[in-house]
């Protein structure tokens, strides 16, 4: 019985680990410095750089005291973002957005890897929720 | 015993699934996301999308629209836009290094763990060959009577593969990022030999952990073997030989799919853009790792 349990445990582990191993190391600049914990923030677009090597957005988030922190959110190359439905005019300064992202693991850093951006009217600008292991796209 | 058999079957099934997912990634490059458009994004009527702008849904539709499956083809005609991300080198099969190779490999180690600070790509050095084989955002073959042109979207550049019977130069006056290349047919396989490479480029970044790159010397030689096995499929093998770096040749067996709905757009590494990116994101990572 014990043996059967250990076999089942091994199988479950393999089911999880093997497909993950296929996703490792897939393109461009490393993303190892981003954490695995998601954060959700609401803020205002300060800058939208539709540029290579990676598109990024800067948005300002105010805390309870009114102090604003500017976050820099990294995405992928222009052409990858086109495949994901974005364009040069998907965001503009002053847009109110809700951002789901993976902040950097480095304490005090305000960089993050973008997972999802939604405008105040509910328009989804980009959503990579289905991308397996988004931290290594 | 029975449990062992079950375990073996299961492991093999998982491995097969894993390899299939990997192959699909290499073929399509961009997994499905929630916000992908259903139709190709093009600049307008008569224009095509770019290889990497195509997502899975669009490529499937394009393959049907262009009748790729079963389409007649000439195996000696490699024309077309192929792939969207290059042919990843077989990093599971990296040959053992020579002592010099090990030393040069270690010298490429990044100063920071999060991205490779020594990668020439960050400052827009040309990727060179064979790095452009492994990483190109799609390439195009154009067949001419005396040469085959290979265009790459990454860097928006090309190389000449001469088919007019000339030999590789024994001692070229200058090394080149893309080297010198000559090609000939062996049956239905187009064989390309290359040499005369500038040793400042990497063979590729090491995708096992991205903190090093594979170096080469000016003695590196490459042999590519391309075989069109169907209208939509091109086998692409690469063998790298550099006796100063590796103790044996390094072979990658790959495959790329036709992109019938695509034409090469441009991906320039623009120094001012890279500088901005490096300052904002990479330099910040470097500072916070001090």
């Amino acid at each position: 019985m014990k043996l059967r349990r250990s076999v089942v445990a091994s199988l479950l582990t393999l089911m999880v680990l093997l497909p993950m191993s296929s996703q490792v190391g897939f393109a461009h600049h490393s993303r190892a410095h981003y954490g695995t914990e998601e954060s959700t923030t609401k803020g205002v677009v300060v800058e939208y750089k539709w540029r290579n090597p990676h598109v990024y957005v800067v948005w300002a988030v105010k805390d309870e005291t009114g102090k604003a922190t500017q976050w820099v959110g990294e995405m992928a190359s222009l052409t990858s973002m086109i495949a994901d439905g974005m364009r040069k005019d998907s965001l503009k300064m002053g847009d109110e957005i809700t951002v789901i992202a993976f902040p950097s693991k480095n304490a005090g850093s305000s960089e993050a890897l973008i997972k999802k951006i939604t405008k105040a009217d509910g328009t989804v600008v980009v959503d990579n929720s289905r991308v397996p292991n988004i931290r290594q796209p | 015993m029975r449990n062992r058999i079950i375990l073996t079957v299961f492991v093999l099934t998982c491995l097969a699934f894993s390899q299939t997912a990997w192959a699909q990634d290499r073929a399509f490059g961009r997994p499905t996301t929630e916000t992908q458009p259903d139709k190709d994004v093009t600049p307008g009527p008569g224009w095509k999308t770019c290889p990497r702008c195509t997502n899975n849904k669009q490529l499937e539709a394009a393959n049907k629209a262009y009748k790729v499956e079963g389409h007649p083809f000439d195996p000696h005609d490699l024309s077309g836009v192929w792939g969207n991300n290059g042919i990843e080198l077989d990093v599971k099969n990296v040959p053992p290094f020579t002592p010099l190779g090990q030393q040069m490999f270690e010298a490429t180690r990044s100063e920071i763990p999060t991205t490779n600070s020594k990668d020439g790509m960050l400052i827009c050095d040309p990727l060179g060959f064979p790095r452009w084989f492994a990483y190109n955002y799609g390439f195009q073959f154009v067949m001419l009577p005396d040469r085959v042109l290979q265009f790459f979207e990454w860097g928006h550049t090309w190389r000449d593969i001469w088919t007019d019977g000339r030999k590789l130069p024994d001692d070229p006056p200058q090394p080149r990022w893309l080297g010198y290349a000559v090609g000939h047919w062996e049956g239905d396989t187009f064989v390309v030999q290359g040499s005369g490479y500038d040793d400042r480029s990497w063979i590729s970044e090491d995708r096992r952990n991205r903190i090093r790159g594979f170096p080469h010397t000016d003695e590196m030689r490459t042999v590519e073997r391309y075989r069109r096995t169907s209208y939509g499929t091109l086998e692409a093998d690469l063998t790298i030989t550099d006796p100063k770096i590796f103790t044996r040749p390094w072979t990658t067996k790959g495959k790329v799919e036709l992109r019938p709905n695509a034409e090469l757009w441009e991906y320039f590494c623009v120094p001012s853009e890279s500088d901005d990116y490096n300052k904002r994101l990479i330099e910040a990572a470097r500072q916070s790792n001090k």
Side-chain angles (χ1 to χ4, degrees), chain A residues 27-28 30 47 56 74 84, chain B residues 30 35 114 210 276-277 280:
Chain A
H28 228 167
S30 168
E47 193 178 1
Y56 67 85
E74 182 176 3
D84 285 353
Chain B
R30 198 75 191 153
T35 44
T114 50
R210 292 176 182 280
D276 183 44
Y277 175 82
R280 277 188 180 271

Side-chain angles (χ1 to χ4, degrees), chain B:
Chain B
M1 185 62 187
R2 194 176 162 204
N3 284 332
R4 278 190 187 168
I5 292 170
I6 293 171
L7 182 62
T8 305
V9 169
F10 220 86
V11 168
L12 290 173
T13 306
C14 287
L15 272 172
F17 174 78
S18 165
Q19 292 305 309
T20 303
W22 181 66
Q24 282 175 346
D25 277 350
R26 296 210 309 171
F28 295 120
R30 198 75 191 153
T32 307
T33 74
E34 294 283 1
T35 44
Q36 287 175 343
D38 289 330
K39 292 181 180 174
D40 287 340
V41 175
T42 74
W47 296 82
K48 288 187 173 185
T49 189
C50 78
R52 206 170 167 78
C53 303
T54 305
N55 58 50
N56 299 0
K57 283 187 287 191
Q58 294 162 347
L59 185 59
E60 283 170 25
N63 283 338
K64 281 182 189 161
Y66 287 85
K67 299 182 171 60
V68 168
E69 194 175 335
H71 197 292
F73 69 103
D74 173 0
H76 283 219
D77 182 4
L78 308 182
S79 304
V81 174
W82 299 96
N84 77 346
N85 202 41
I87 299 145
E88 194 171 333
L89 299 187
D90 186 358
V91 289
K92 292 175 184 166
N93 189 31
V94 181
F97 287 109
T98 62
L100 174 66
Q102 187 67 43
Q103 187 185 331
M104 288 177 65
F105 181 58
E106 289 303 329
T108 66
R109 180 184 282 275
S110 179
E111 299 150 316
I112 53 174
T114 50
T115 196
N116 198 319
S117 59
K118 293 182 181 170
D119 190 343
M121 184 175 72
L122 295 182
I123 52 171
C124 295
D125 276 359
L127 297 188
F129 202 83
R131 197 169 178 187
W132 258 310
F133 176 94
Y135 184 38
N136 53 43
Y137 284 5
F139 69 86
Q140 180 172 15
F141 276 132
V142 175
M143 316 292 287
L144 295 178
D146 61 347
R147 77 193 98 159
V148 175
L149 302 178
Q150 188 177 23
F151 293 90
F152 304 98
E153 179 162 304
W154 209 113
H156 208 66
T157 191
W158 87 99
R159 68 175 179 148
D160 299 290
I161 302 167
W162 293 96
T163 54
D164 56 1
R166 70 181 68 183
K167 306 295 179 197
L168 286 174
D170 287 332
D171 184 20
Q174 74 165 68
R176 295 177 178 171
W177 294 94
L178 283 155
Y180 298 75
V182 295
H184 67 277
W185 288 93
E186 292 179 5
D188 289 340
T189 302
F190 185 56
V191 181
V192 182
Q193 296 170 293
S195 66
Y197 294 107
D198 190 314
D199 61 8
R200 287 175 292 175
S201 65
W202 287 351
I203 290 171
S204 170
E205 69 278 13
D206 182 353
R207 293 193 178 187
R208 293 173 298 188
N209 52 28
R210 292 176 182 280
I211 58 168
R212 284 177 291 212
F214 295 112
H216 68 83
T217 69
D218 58 4
E219 289 190 19
M220 178 176 71
R221 286 183 168 256
T222 55
V223 179
E224 299 141 77
R225 301 177 71 85
Y226 297 98
R227 197 164 75 91
R228 192 170 194 165
T229 55
S230 72
Y231 180 69
T233 308
L234 184 67
E235 289 180 355
D237 301 345
L238 170 70
T239 298
I240 299 162
T241 308
D242 189 339
K244 283 188 174 172
I245 300 293
F246 299 117
T247 55
R248 60 173 168 78
W250 180 11
T251 296
T252 291
K253 292 189 175 297
K255 190 172 74 173
V256 279
E257 308 294 330
L258 186 72
R259 297 274 160 168
N261 60 334
E263 54 200 21
L264 296 189
W265 287 13
E266 61 176 33
Y267 183 101
F268 287 111
C269 188
V270 181
S272 58
E273 290 179 354
S274 281
D275 192 45
D276 183 44
Y277 175 82
N278 293 343
K279 278 179 187 157
R280 277 188 180 271
L281 293 156
I282 293 181
E283 193 56 32
R286 188 201 299 269
Q287 293 302 325
S288 54
N289 272 291
K290 276 186 177 174

Side-chain angles (χ1 to χ4, degrees), chain A residues 42-106:
Chain A
K42 283 189 178 181
V44 176
V45 174
V46 175
E47 193 178 1
Y48 172 48
K49 280 278 190 185
W50 183 248
R51 290 283 186 272
N52 284 320
H54 288 182
V55 175
Y56 67 85
V57 59
V58 180
W59 74 106
V61 180
K62 283 187 180 172
D63 64 17
E64 311 84 52
T65 65
K67 185 188 166 196
T69 302
Q70 287 201 357
W71 282 85
V72 183
E74 182 176 3
M75 289 173 253
S77 64
L78 294 184
T79 50
S80 296
M81 299 320 295
I82 288 173
D84 285 353
M86 285 188 81
R87 293 178 60 94
K88 61 185 177 184
D89 51 4
S90 291
L91 291 167
K92 63 179 189 305
M93 275 181 66
D95 280 347
E96 291 180 24
I97 54 173
T98 301
V99 180
I100 303 176
F102 299 99
S104 166
K105 288 185 283 196
N106 303 316

Side-chain angles (χ1 to χ4, degrees), chain A:
Chain A
M1 193 64 182
K2 264 187 181 174
L3 182 61
R4 186 161 290 176
R5 271 189 197 157
S6 71
V7 167
V8 169
S10 302
L11 296 180
L12 288 173
T13 306
L14 283 165
M15 282 174 72
V16 172
L17 289 181
L18 286 175
M20 280 171 70
S21 70
S22 73
Q23 302 293 339
V24 172
F26 187 63
H28 228 167
H29 303 85
S30 168
R31 295 183 161 181
H33 55 295
Y34 293 115
T36 53
E37 297 290 321
E38 283 181 20
S39 83
T40 302
T41 53
K42 283 189 178 181
V44 176
V45 174
V46 175
E47 193 178 1
Y48 172 48
K49 280 278 190 185
W50 183 248
R51 290 283 186 272
N52 284 320
H54 288 182
V55 175
Y56 67 85
V57 59
V58 180
W59 74 106
V61 180
K62 283 187 180 172
D63 64 17
E64 311 84 52
T65 65
K67 185 188 166 196
T69 302
Q70 287 201 357
W71 282 85
V72 183
E74 182 176 3
M75 289 173 253
S77 64
L78 294 184
T79 50
S80 296
M81 299 320 295
I82 288 173
D84 285 353
M86 285 188 81
R87 293 178 60 94
K88 61 185 177 184
D89 51 4
S90 291
L91 291 167
K92 63 179 189 305
M93 275 181 66
D95 280 347
E96 291 180 24
I97 54 173
T98 301
V99 180
I100 303 176
F102 299 99
S104 166
K105 288 185 283 196
N106 303 316
S109 168
S110 55
E111 285 83 46
L113 179 66
I114 298 292
K115 179 179 180 184
K116 183 175 183 179
I117 301 175
T118 310
K119 287 188 182 176
D121 65 1
T123 306
V124 178
V125 178
V126 66
D127 183 358
N128 282 319
S129 300
R130 283 188 196 163
V131 176
N133 194 1
I134 187 177
R135 293 173 60 257
Q136 289 283 353

